[in-house]
């Protein structure tokens, strides 16, 4: 296992490029609610409109960070050598907290304009409910990860649940976005998200296969 | 004097034991074939919707309108316009505020025969906890033996009324002023009701 900081100068350049590209992707994603307005935005005015828009921005950033979180968690030999395992683990932990914060902001800002006594509960609101399940699972998994030792949960036991739950949450979030938002219902955004989801899945598959072959 | 007392006593006994006036036929809702539909202007087109969850209490006899009555209770949350986001918006404070005011009701107070199977049903319409007078013209479409359910009678009612949603505070008027959503809502109450023969 390699650890610590990136070793040489070329690694630093690669890391800088990776960080820059990630920030550009996040920036582009955050601008989606301004360039691709949902019909819900059309029918909101004043503060409600601002809440909804920034709720969507928070959701878009969270979506990117969740997909990134999978890549950071799976790592792979190249990523490990470029960034160092310790840095990736630290990033995974901080990113997890950031995602929790963002999805709480997302849920709150999106639900506020329709009223907190008017929650989207019921079969016809299943895409929102998938988001709700992802939110609860995310908060729970983050909580148990941070307080694992204090709660005296064994590492293997925790990992046994944490790993599949991580993938399921990412899958749930992608499904949530594909079916909840009308701008993702068809067209370029849908294709991009399906490709991103497919790309991350492929990355996981390649890294796991290589790891398996190495063993 | 004795005979006057006897007459008064006889009348009292008669009143006490008098058969209560014949009440009007009670009709059970056939929910699968009934609905509360509406349509409202949206810029150039009409948006259609309906409420999926409602209850009715109907007693109706065209020969006994005094004892006849209509009661409708509509769960606002069941609004359905085929687009879930729009339904949520209609349930929000911008329109029905369904979390705070979950029900709309109509209870008739009097029914008058307007001829040709039409009845003027006047009553109390309660929306967002405020009660208004409302008269719904309801047509008795027909009464007959149910073609498939043995031993049952089926009756049909169609009520059509246009409601100014802003008069009932369903919306502040901002979407109307923007020229997006009309204020007049055409309502069709289409009911099939059943009774034992
Ligand atoms: C794991 C957590 C979640 C993530 C990552 C997430 C992400 C997103 C994203 C990216 C969008 C699309 C934004 C856009 O159209 O620009 C979205 C839309 C939406 N989300 Fe979430 N979401 C999550 C949880 C939730 C929860 C818990 C709810 C609450 C029920 C919720 C309700 C919604 C709604 C209603 C929309 C549609 C907004 C609109 O079109 O106006 N989401 N979400």
């Amino acid at each position: 296992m390699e650890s610590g900081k990136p070793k040489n100068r070329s690694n630093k350049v690669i890391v800088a490029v990776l960080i820059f590209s990630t920030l550009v992707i996040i920036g582009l994603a955050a601008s989606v609610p301004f360039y691709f307005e949902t019909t819900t935005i059309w029918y909101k005015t004043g503060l409600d409109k601002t809440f909804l828009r920034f709720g969507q921005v928070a959701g878009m950033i969270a979506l990117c960070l969740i997909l990134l979180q999978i890549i950071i968690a799976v790592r792979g030999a190249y990523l490990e050598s470029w960034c160092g395992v310790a840095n990736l683990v630290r990033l995974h932990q901080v990113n997890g907290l950031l995602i929790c914060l963002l999805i709480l902001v997302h849920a709150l800002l999106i639900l506020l304009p329709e009223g907190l006594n008017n929650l989207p509960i019921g079969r016809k609101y299943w895409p929102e409910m998938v988001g709700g399940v992802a939110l609860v699972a995310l908060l729970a998994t983050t909580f148990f990860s941070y307080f694992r030792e204090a709660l005296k949960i064994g590492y293997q036991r925790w990992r046994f649940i944490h790993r599949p739950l991580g993938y399921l949450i990412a899958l749930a979030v992608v499904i949530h976005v594909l079916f909840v938002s009308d701008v993702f219902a068809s067209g370029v955004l849908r294709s991009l998200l399906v490709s991103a989801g497919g790309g991350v899945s492929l990355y996981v598959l390649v890294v796991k296969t290589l790891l398996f072959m190495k063993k | 004097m004795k005979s006057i007392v006897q007459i008064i006593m006889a009348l009292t006994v008669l009143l006490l034991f008098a058969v209560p006036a014949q009440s009007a036929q009670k009709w059970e809702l056939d929910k699968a074939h009934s609905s509360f539909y509406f349509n409202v202007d949206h810029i150039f087109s009409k948006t259609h919707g309906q409420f999926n969850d409602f209850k009715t209490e109907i007693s109706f006899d065209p020969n006994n309108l005094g004892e006849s009555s209509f009661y409708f209770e509509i769960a606002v949350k069941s609004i359905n316009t085929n687009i879930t986001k729009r339904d949520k918006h209609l349930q929000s404070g911008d329109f029905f505020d369904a979390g705070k005011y979950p029900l709309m009701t109509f209870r008739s107070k009097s029914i008058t025969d307007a001829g040709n199977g039409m009845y003027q049903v006047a009553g109390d319409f309660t929306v967002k906890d405020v009660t208004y007078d409302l008269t719904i013209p309801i047509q008795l479409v027909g009464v007959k033996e149910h073609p498939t359910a043995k031993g049952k009678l089926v009756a049909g009612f169609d009520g059509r009324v246009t409601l100014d949603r802003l008069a009932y505070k369903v919306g502040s008027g901002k979407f109307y002023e923007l020229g997006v959503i009309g204020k007049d809502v055409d309502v069709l109450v289409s009911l099939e009701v059943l009774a034992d023969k």
Side-chain angles (χ1 to χ4, degrees), chain A residues 38-70:
Chain A
T38 57
T39 48
T40 46
I41 282 277
W42 300 354
Y43 295 94
K44 288 283 170 241
T45 52
L47 202 57
D48 283 349
K49 197 174 191 123
T50 311
F51 279 170
L52 182 57
R53 180 106 61 188
F54 283 94
Q56 293 178 342
V57 170
M60 288 303 302
I61 300 175
L63 170 68
C64 294
L65 295 187
I66 285 170
L67 294 179
L68 178 71
Q69 185 77 329
I70 299 287

PDB file of all heavy atoms in Angstrom, chain A residues 38-70:
ATOM      1  N   THR A  38     -36.045  24.106 -14.980  1.00  0.00           N
ATOM      2  CA  THR A  38     -37.143  23.136 -14.867  1.00  0.00           C
ATOM      3  C   THR A  38     -38.461  23.905 -14.943  1.00  0.00           C
ATOM      4  O   THR A  38     -38.494  25.116 -14.663  1.00  0.00           O
ATOM      5  CB  THR A  38     -37.087  22.409 -13.514  1.00  0.00           C
ATOM      6  OG1 THR A  38     -37.127  23.394 -12.480  1.00  0.00           O
ATOM      7  CG2 THR A  38     -35.822  21.588 -13.369  1.00  0.00           C
ATOM      8  N   THR A  39     -39.541  23.207 -15.286  1.00  0.00           N
ATOM      9  CA  THR A  39     -40.846  23.905 -15.345  1.00  0.00           C
ATOM     10  C   THR A  39     -41.254  24.361 -13.942  1.00  0.00           C
ATOM     11  O   THR A  39     -41.995  25.335 -13.797  1.00  0.00           O
ATOM     12  CB  THR A  39     -41.938  22.998 -15.933  1.00  0.00           C
ATOM     13  OG1 THR A  39     -41.873  21.746 -15.269  1.00  0.00           O
ATOM     14  CG2 THR A  39     -41.777  22.798 -17.405  1.00  0.00           C
ATOM     15  N   THR A  40     -40.756  23.658 -12.923  1.00  0.00           N
ATOM     16  CA  THR A  40     -41.102  24.069 -11.546  1.00  0.00           C
ATOM     17  C   THR A  40     -40.578  25.478 -11.260  1.00  0.00           C
ATOM     18  O   THR A  40     -41.239  26.252 -10.576  1.00  0.00           O
ATOM     19  CB  THR A  40     -40.527  23.081 -10.525  1.00  0.00           C
ATOM     20  OG1 THR A  40     -39.174  22.790 -10.870  1.00  0.00           O
ATOM     21  CG2 THR A  40     -41.307  21.792 -10.475  1.00  0.00           C
ATOM     22  N   ILE A  41     -39.411  25.784 -11.824  1.00  0.00           N
ATOM     23  CA  ILE A  41     -38.825  27.125 -11.632  1.00  0.00           C
ATOM     24  C   ILE A  41     -39.719  28.192 -12.286  1.00  0.00           C
ATOM     25  O   ILE A  41     -39.914  29.277 -11.741  1.00  0.00           O
ATOM     26  CB  ILE A  41     -37.390  27.182 -12.228  1.00  0.00           C
ATOM     27  CG1 ILE A  41     -36.382  26.504 -11.292  1.00  0.00           C
ATOM     28  CG2 ILE A  41     -36.957  28.596 -12.546  1.00  0.00           C
ATOM     29  CD1 ILE A  41     -35.870  27.373 -10.156  1.00  0.00           C
ATOM     30  N   TRP A  42     -40.298  27.849 -13.444  1.00  0.00           N
ATOM     31  CA  TRP A  42     -41.143  28.824 -14.145  1.00  0.00           C
ATOM     32  C   TRP A  42     -42.313  29.286 -13.274  1.00  0.00           C
ATOM     33  O   TRP A  42     -42.816  30.382 -13.435  1.00  0.00           O
ATOM     34  CB  TRP A  42     -41.756  28.229 -15.415  1.00  0.00           C
ATOM     35  CG  TRP A  42     -40.794  27.742 -16.443  1.00  0.00           C
ATOM     36  CD1 TRP A  42     -39.431  27.862 -16.431  1.00  0.00           C
ATOM     37  CD2 TRP A  42     -41.123  27.041 -17.641  1.00  0.00           C
ATOM     38  NE1 TRP A  42     -38.899  27.279 -17.531  1.00  0.00           N
ATOM     39  CE2 TRP A  42     -39.905  26.765 -18.307  1.00  0.00           C
ATOM     40  CE3 TRP A  42     -42.310  26.616 -18.215  1.00  0.00           C
ATOM     41  CZ2 TRP A  42     -39.862  26.084 -19.515  1.00  0.00           C
ATOM     42  CZ3 TRP A  42     -42.261  25.935 -19.421  1.00  0.00           C
ATOM     43  CH2 TRP A  42     -41.050  25.676 -20.060  1.00  0.00           C
ATOM     44  N   TYR A  43     -42.782  28.384 -12.431  1.00  0.00           N
ATOM     45  CA  TYR A  43     -43.999  28.692 -11.657  1.00  0.00           C
ATOM     46  C   TYR A  43     -43.701  29.075 -10.220  1.00  0.00           C
ATOM     47  O   TYR A  43     -44.564  28.968  -9.364  1.00  0.00           O
ATOM     48  CB  TYR A  43     -44.967  27.504 -11.721  1.00  0.00           C
ATOM     49  CG  TYR A  43     -45.455  27.286 -13.118  1.00  0.00           C
ATOM     50  CD1 TYR A  43     -44.823  26.381 -13.957  1.00  0.00           C
ATOM     51  CD2 TYR A  43     -46.495  28.050 -13.636  1.00  0.00           C
ATOM     52  CE1 TYR A  43     -45.223  26.212 -15.271  1.00  0.00           C
ATOM     53  CE2 TYR A  43     -46.906  27.894 -14.948  1.00  0.00           C
ATOM     54  CZ  TYR A  43     -46.272  26.976 -15.759  1.00  0.00           C
ATOM     55  OH  TYR A  43     -46.669  26.834 -17.052  1.00  0.00           O
ATOM     56  N   LYS A  44     -42.465  29.501  -9.971  1.00  0.00           N
ATOM     57  CA  LYS A  44     -42.137  30.007  -8.640  1.00  0.00           C
ATOM     58  C   LYS A  44     -41.755  31.469  -8.771  1.00  0.00           C
ATOM     59  O   LYS A  44     -41.166  31.874  -9.778  1.00  0.00           O
ATOM     60  CB  LYS A  44     -40.965  29.212  -8.036  1.00  0.00           C
ATOM     61  CG  LYS A  44     -41.351  27.814  -7.628  1.00  0.00           C
ATOM     62  CD  LYS A  44     -42.121  27.813  -6.332  1.00  0.00           C
ATOM     63  CE  LYS A  44     -42.727  26.478  -6.034  1.00  0.00           C
ATOM     64  NZ  LYS A  44     -44.184  26.487  -5.951  1.00  0.00           N
ATOM     65  N   THR A  45     -42.077  32.231  -7.740  1.00  0.00           N
ATOM     66  CA  THR A  45     -41.725  33.652  -7.770  1.00  0.00           C
ATOM     67  C   THR A  45     -41.001  34.009  -6.478  1.00  0.00           C
ATOM     68  O   THR A  45     -41.087  33.271  -5.489  1.00  0.00           O
ATOM     69  CB  THR A  45     -42.989  34.532  -7.905  1.00  0.00           C
ATOM     70  OG1 THR A  45     -43.898  34.135  -6.875  1.00  0.00           O
ATOM     71  CG2 THR A  45     -43.654  34.381  -9.249  1.00  0.00           C
ATOM     72  N   GLY A  46     -40.302  35.121  -6.503  1.00  0.00           N
ATOM     73  CA  GLY A  46     -39.664  35.669  -5.297  1.00  0.00           C
ATOM     74  C   GLY A  46     -38.700  34.709  -4.623  1.00  0.00           C
ATOM     75  O   GLY A  46     -37.919  34.018  -5.279  1.00  0.00           O
ATOM     76  N   LEU A  47     -38.820  34.655  -3.308  1.00  0.00           N
ATOM     77  CA  LEU A  47     -37.901  33.855  -2.499  1.00  0.00           C
ATOM     78  C   LEU A  47     -38.018  32.359  -2.828  1.00  0.00           C
ATOM     79  O   LEU A  47     -37.024  31.630  -2.815  1.00  0.00           O
ATOM     80  CB  LEU A  47     -38.235  34.083  -1.012  1.00  0.00           C
ATOM     81  CG  LEU A  47     -37.127  33.774  -0.010  1.00  0.00           C
ATOM     82  CD1 LEU A  47     -35.875  34.584  -0.316  1.00  0.00           C
ATOM     83  CD2 LEU A  47     -37.602  34.053   1.405  1.00  0.00           C
ATOM     84  N   ASP A  48     -39.246  31.929  -3.132  1.00  0.00           N
ATOM     85  CA  ASP A  48     -39.470  30.513  -3.474  1.00  0.00           C
ATOM     86  C   ASP A  48     -38.609  30.105  -4.666  1.00  0.00           C
ATOM     87  O   ASP A  48     -38.053  29.015  -4.712  1.00  0.00           O
ATOM     88  CB  ASP A  48     -40.948  30.263  -3.823  1.00  0.00           C
ATOM     89  CG  ASP A  48     -41.813  30.207  -2.573  1.00  0.00           C
ATOM     90  OD1 ASP A  48     -41.238  30.146  -1.475  1.00  0.00           O
ATOM     91  OD2 ASP A  48     -43.042  30.246  -2.714  1.00  0.00           O
ATOM     92  N   LYS A  49     -38.528  31.003  -5.635  1.00  0.00           N
ATOM     93  CA  LYS A  49     -37.754  30.726  -6.852  1.00  0.00           C
ATOM     94  C   LYS A  49     -36.271  30.589  -6.480  1.00  0.00           C
ATOM     95  O   LYS A  49     -35.591  29.674  -6.949  1.00  0.00           O
ATOM     96  CB  LYS A  49     -37.950  31.882  -7.849  1.00  0.00           C
ATOM     97  CG  LYS A  49     -37.542  31.541  -9.250  1.00  0.00           C
ATOM     98  CD  LYS A  49     -37.913  32.698 -10.181  1.00  0.00           C
ATOM     99  CE  LYS A  49     -37.759  32.302 -11.618  1.00  0.00           C
ATOM    100  NZ  LYS A  49     -38.956  32.438 -12.408  1.00  0.00           N
ATOM    101  N   THR A  50     -35.791  31.500  -5.636  1.00  0.00           N
ATOM    102  CA  THR A  50     -34.379  31.467  -5.212  1.00  0.00           C
ATOM    103  C   THR A  50     -34.101  30.176  -4.446  1.00  0.00           C
ATOM    104  O   THR A  50     -33.092  29.511  -4.682  1.00  0.00           O
ATOM    105  CB  THR A  50     -34.073  32.686  -4.314  1.00  0.00           C
ATOM    106  OG1 THR A  50     -34.568  33.836  -4.981  1.00  0.00           O
ATOM    107  CG2 THR A  50     -32.588  32.833  -4.059  1.00  0.00           C
ATOM    108  N   PHE A  51     -35.004  29.828  -3.533  1.00  0.00           N
ATOM    109  CA  PHE A  51     -34.833  28.589  -2.750  1.00  0.00           C
ATOM    110  C   PHE A  51     -34.719  27.384  -3.684  1.00  0.00           C
ATOM    111  O   PHE A  51     -33.810  26.575  -3.573  1.00  0.00           O
ATOM    112  CB  PHE A  51     -36.024  28.362  -1.815  1.00  0.00           C
ATOM    113  CG  PHE A  51     -35.955  29.171  -0.540  1.00  0.00           C
ATOM    114  CD1 PHE A  51     -37.054  29.240   0.317  1.00  0.00           C
ATOM    115  CD2 PHE A  51     -34.805  29.841  -0.169  1.00  0.00           C
ATOM    116  CE1 PHE A  51     -37.001  29.967   1.495  1.00  0.00           C
ATOM    117  CE2 PHE A  51     -34.741  30.574   1.006  1.00  0.00           C
ATOM    118  CZ  PHE A  51     -35.842  30.635   1.829  1.00  0.00           C
ATOM    119  N   LEU A  52     -35.685  27.301  -4.601  1.00  0.00           N
ATOM    120  CA  LEU A  52     -35.726  26.136  -5.488  1.00  0.00           C
ATOM    121  C   LEU A  52     -34.458  26.064  -6.331  1.00  0.00           C
ATOM    122  O   LEU A  52     -33.838  25.007  -6.457  1.00  0.00           O
ATOM    123  CB  LEU A  52     -36.974  26.189  -6.374  1.00  0.00           C
ATOM    124  CG  LEU A  52     -37.177  25.007  -7.313  1.00  0.00           C
ATOM    125  CD1 LEU A  52     -37.232  23.693  -6.547  1.00  0.00           C
ATOM    126  CD2 LEU A  52     -38.463  25.162  -8.125  1.00  0.00           C
ATOM    127  N   ARG A  53     -34.056  27.213  -6.873  1.00  0.00           N
ATOM    128  CA  ARG A  53     -32.879  27.238  -7.749  1.00  0.00           C
ATOM    129  C   ARG A  53     -31.644  26.781  -6.968  1.00  0.00           C
ATOM    130  O   ARG A  53     -30.889  25.939  -7.424  1.00  0.00           O
ATOM    131  CB  ARG A  53     -32.682  28.653  -8.293  1.00  0.00           C
ATOM    132  CG  ARG A  53     -31.487  28.773  -9.201  1.00  0.00           C
ATOM    133  CD  ARG A  53     -31.859  28.897 -10.622  1.00  0.00           C
ATOM    134  NE  ARG A  53     -32.652  30.074 -10.891  1.00  0.00           N
ATOM    135  CZ  ARG A  53     -33.226  30.301 -12.064  1.00  0.00           C
ATOM    136  NH1 ARG A  53     -33.094  29.411 -13.031  1.00  0.00           N
ATOM    137  NH2 ARG A  53     -33.932  31.379 -12.277  1.00  0.00           N
ATOM    138  N   PHE A  54     -31.448  27.336  -5.765  1.00  0.00           N
ATOM    139  CA  PHE A  54     -30.242  26.972  -5.017  1.00  0.00           C
ATOM    140  C   PHE A  54     -30.340  25.560  -4.437  1.00  0.00           C
ATOM    141  O   PHE A  54     -29.328  24.903  -4.238  1.00  0.00           O
ATOM    142  CB  PHE A  54     -29.883  28.054  -3.994  1.00  0.00           C
ATOM    143  CG  PHE A  54     -29.240  29.230  -4.681  1.00  0.00           C
ATOM    144  CD1 PHE A  54     -30.001  30.323  -5.081  1.00  0.00           C
ATOM    145  CD2 PHE A  54     -27.900  29.197  -5.033  1.00  0.00           C
ATOM    146  CE1 PHE A  54     -29.435  31.381  -5.794  1.00  0.00           C
ATOM    147  CE2 PHE A  54     -27.317  30.247  -5.742  1.00  0.00           C
ATOM    148  CZ  PHE A  54     -28.083  31.342  -6.119  1.00  0.00           C
ATOM    149  N   GLY A  55     -31.562  25.108  -4.243  1.00  0.00           N
ATOM    150  CA  GLY A  55     -31.757  23.700  -3.853  1.00  0.00           C
ATOM    151  C   GLY A  55     -31.284  22.790  -4.977  1.00  0.00           C
ATOM    152  O   GLY A  55     -30.632  21.772  -4.754  1.00  0.00           O
ATOM    153  N   GLN A  56     -31.604  23.183  -6.202  1.00  0.00           N
ATOM    154  CA  GLN A  56     -31.167  22.391  -7.366  1.00  0.00           C
ATOM    155  C   GLN A  56     -29.649  22.457  -7.521  1.00  0.00           C
ATOM    156  O   GLN A  56     -29.010  21.447  -7.817  1.00  0.00           O
ATOM    157  CB  GLN A  56     -31.855  22.912  -8.633  1.00  0.00           C
ATOM    158  CG  GLN A  56     -33.355  22.664  -8.641  1.00  0.00           C
ATOM    159  CD  GLN A  56     -34.030  23.229  -9.873  1.00  0.00           C
ATOM    160  OE1 GLN A  56     -33.485  24.073 -10.573  1.00  0.00           O
ATOM    161  NE2 GLN A  56     -35.249  22.788 -10.133  1.00  0.00           N
ATOM    162  N   VAL A  57     -29.081  23.643  -7.283  1.00  0.00           N
ATOM    163  CA  VAL A  57     -27.614  23.781  -7.370  1.00  0.00           C
ATOM    164  C   VAL A  57     -26.957  22.841  -6.351  1.00  0.00           C
ATOM    165  O   VAL A  57     -26.034  22.086  -6.690  1.00  0.00           O
ATOM    166  CB  VAL A  57     -27.177  25.254  -7.119  1.00  0.00           C
ATOM    167  CG1 VAL A  57     -25.661  25.348  -6.967  1.00  0.00           C
ATOM    168  CG2 VAL A  57     -27.662  26.147  -8.247  1.00  0.00           C
ATOM    169  N   ALA A  58     -27.467  22.850  -5.123  1.00  0.00           N
ATOM    170  CA  ALA A  58     -26.905  21.970  -4.080  1.00  0.00           C
ATOM    171  C   ALA A  58     -27.016  20.505  -4.502  1.00  0.00           C
ATOM    172  O   ALA A  58     -26.085  19.719  -4.307  1.00  0.00           O
ATOM    173  CB  ALA A  58     -27.623  22.212  -2.754  1.00  0.00           C
ATOM    174  N   GLY A  59     -28.159  20.153  -5.112  1.00  0.00           N
ATOM    175  CA  GLY A  59     -28.371  18.773  -5.569  1.00  0.00           C
ATOM    176  C   GLY A  59     -27.383  18.394  -6.659  1.00  0.00           C
ATOM    177  O   GLY A  59     -26.823  17.301  -6.649  1.00  0.00           O
ATOM    178  N   MET A  60     -27.141  19.325  -7.583  1.00  0.00           N
ATOM    179  CA  MET A  60     -26.211  19.041  -8.685  1.00  0.00           C
ATOM    180  C   MET A  60     -24.784  18.834  -8.146  1.00  0.00           C
ATOM    181  O   MET A  60     -24.085  17.926  -8.589  1.00  0.00           O
ATOM    182  CB  MET A  60     -26.220  20.200  -9.710  1.00  0.00           C
ATOM    183  CG  MET A  60     -27.463  20.295 -10.567  1.00  0.00           C
ATOM    184  SD  MET A  60     -27.861  18.816 -11.511  1.00  0.00           S
ATOM    185  CE  MET A  60     -26.405  18.598 -12.478  1.00  0.00           C
ATOM    186  N   ILE A  61     -24.396  19.687  -7.203  1.00  0.00           N
ATOM    187  CA  ILE A  61     -23.035  19.539  -6.645  1.00  0.00           C
ATOM    188  C   ILE A  61     -22.950  18.211  -5.885  1.00  0.00           C
ATOM    189  O   ILE A  61     -21.987  17.457  -6.028  1.00  0.00           O
ATOM    190  CB  ILE A  61     -22.676  20.732  -5.729  1.00  0.00           C
ATOM    191  CG1 ILE A  61     -22.724  22.043  -6.526  1.00  0.00           C
ATOM    192  CG2 ILE A  61     -21.280  20.540  -5.124  1.00  0.00           C
ATOM    193  CD1 ILE A  61     -22.508  23.307  -5.701  1.00  0.00           C
ATOM    194  N   ALA A  62     -23.993  17.909  -5.119  1.00  0.00           N
ATOM    195  CA  ALA A  62     -23.997  16.652  -4.355  1.00  0.00           C
ATOM    196  C   ALA A  62     -23.902  15.450  -5.302  1.00  0.00           C
ATOM    197  O   ALA A  62     -23.174  14.500  -5.032  1.00  0.00           O
ATOM    198  CB  ALA A  62     -25.259  16.563  -3.502  1.00  0.00           C
ATOM    199  N   LEU A  63     -24.628  15.548  -6.413  1.00  0.00           N
ATOM    200  CA  LEU A  63     -24.590  14.449  -7.393  1.00  0.00           C
ATOM    201  C   LEU A  63     -23.153  14.203  -7.873  1.00  0.00           C
ATOM    202  O   LEU A  63     -22.683  13.054  -7.903  1.00  0.00           O
ATOM    203  CB  LEU A  63     -25.500  14.809  -8.571  1.00  0.00           C
ATOM    204  CG  LEU A  63     -25.437  13.913  -9.802  1.00  0.00           C
ATOM    205  CD1 LEU A  63     -26.013  12.540  -9.476  1.00  0.00           C
ATOM    206  CD2 LEU A  63     -26.210  14.525 -10.969  1.00  0.00           C
ATOM    207  N   CYS A  64     -22.463  15.279  -8.223  1.00  0.00           N
ATOM    208  CA  CYS A  64     -21.063  15.140  -8.683  1.00  0.00           C
ATOM    209  C   CYS A  64     -20.203  14.548  -7.577  1.00  0.00           C
ATOM    210  O   CYS A  64     -19.387  13.652  -7.824  1.00  0.00           O
ATOM    211  CB  CYS A  64     -20.488  16.506  -9.063  1.00  0.00           C
ATOM    212  SG  CYS A  64     -21.270  17.218 -10.474  1.00  0.00           S
ATOM    213  N   LEU A  65     -20.383  15.073  -6.368  1.00  0.00           N
ATOM    214  CA  LEU A  65     -19.529  14.608  -5.263  1.00  0.00           C
ATOM    215  C   LEU A  65     -19.812  13.138  -4.921  1.00  0.00           C
ATOM    216  O   LEU A  65     -18.909  12.418  -4.506  1.00  0.00           O
ATOM    217  CB  LEU A  65     -19.719  15.491  -4.024  1.00  0.00           C
ATOM    218  CG  LEU A  65     -19.252  16.951  -4.182  1.00  0.00           C
ATOM    219  CD1 LEU A  65     -19.329  17.696  -2.844  1.00  0.00           C
ATOM    220  CD2 LEU A  65     -17.836  17.033  -4.727  1.00  0.00           C
ATOM    221  N   ILE A  66     -21.039  12.708  -5.111  1.00  0.00           N
ATOM    222  CA  ILE A  66     -21.367  11.294  -4.823  1.00  0.00           C
ATOM    223  C   ILE A  66     -20.673  10.380  -5.845  1.00  0.00           C
ATOM    224  O   ILE A  66     -20.096   9.359  -5.484  1.00  0.00           O
ATOM    225  CB  ILE A  66     -22.903  11.077  -4.806  1.00  0.00           C
ATOM    226  CG1 ILE A  66     -23.471  11.657  -3.510  1.00  0.00           C
ATOM    227  CG2 ILE A  66     -23.252   9.600  -4.912  1.00  0.00           C
ATOM    228  CD1 ILE A  66     -24.975  11.737  -3.452  1.00  0.00           C
ATOM    229  N   LEU A  67     -20.704  10.784  -7.112  1.00  0.00           N
ATOM    230  CA  LEU A  67     -20.027   9.983  -8.137  1.00  0.00           C
ATOM    231  C   LEU A  67     -18.517   9.999  -7.883  1.00  0.00           C
ATOM    232  O   LEU A  67     -17.836   8.978  -7.983  1.00  0.00           O
ATOM    233  CB  LEU A  67     -20.369  10.500  -9.541  1.00  0.00           C
ATOM    234  CG  LEU A  67     -21.839  10.331  -9.955  1.00  0.00           C
ATOM    235  CD1 LEU A  67     -22.094  10.893 -11.342  1.00  0.00           C
ATOM    236  CD2 LEU A  67     -22.258   8.856  -9.915  1.00  0.00           C
ATOM    237  N   LEU A  68     -18.011  11.188  -7.509  1.00  0.00           N
ATOM    238  CA  LEU A  68     -16.581  11.312  -7.185  1.00  0.00           C
ATOM    239  C   LEU A  68     -16.223  10.426  -5.985  1.00  0.00           C
ATOM    240  O   LEU A  68     -15.171   9.787  -5.950  1.00  0.00           O
ATOM    241  CB  LEU A  68     -16.269  12.786  -6.864  1.00  0.00           C
ATOM    242  CG  LEU A  68     -14.836  13.105  -6.459  1.00  0.00           C
ATOM    243  CD1 LEU A  68     -13.918  12.989  -7.678  1.00  0.00           C
ATOM    244  CD2 LEU A  68     -14.724  14.519  -5.878  1.00  0.00           C
ATOM    245  N   GLN A  69     -17.159  10.391  -5.042  1.00  0.00           N
ATOM    246  CA  GLN A  69     -16.937   9.616  -3.807  1.00  0.00           C
ATOM    247  C   GLN A  69     -16.695   8.136  -4.127  1.00  0.00           C
ATOM    248  O   GLN A  69     -15.870   7.485  -3.485  1.00  0.00           O
ATOM    249  CB  GLN A  69     -18.175   9.782  -2.899  1.00  0.00           C
ATOM    250  CG  GLN A  69     -18.075   9.157  -1.525  1.00  0.00           C
ATOM    251  CD  GLN A  69     -17.220   9.977  -0.571  1.00  0.00           C
ATOM    252  OE1 GLN A  69     -16.280  10.638  -0.984  1.00  0.00           O
ATOM    253  NE2 GLN A  69     -17.517   9.899   0.701  1.00  0.00           N
ATOM    254  N   ILE A  70     -17.409   7.634  -5.113  1.00  0.00           N
ATOM    255  CA  ILE A  70     -17.234   6.225  -5.498  1.00  0.00           C
ATOM    256  C   ILE A  70     -15.817   6.029  -6.052  1.00  0.00           C
ATOM    257  O   ILE A  70     -15.117   5.071  -5.697  1.00  0.00           O
ATOM    258  CB  ILE A  70     -18.289   5.825  -6.574  1.00  0.00           C
ATOM    259  CG1 ILE A  70     -19.703   5.978  -6.026  1.00  0.00           C
ATOM    260  CG2 ILE A  70     -18.045   4.407  -7.095  1.00  0.00           C
ATOM    261  CD1 ILE A  70     -20.138   4.944  -5.030  1.00  0.00           C
TER     262      ILE A  70
END
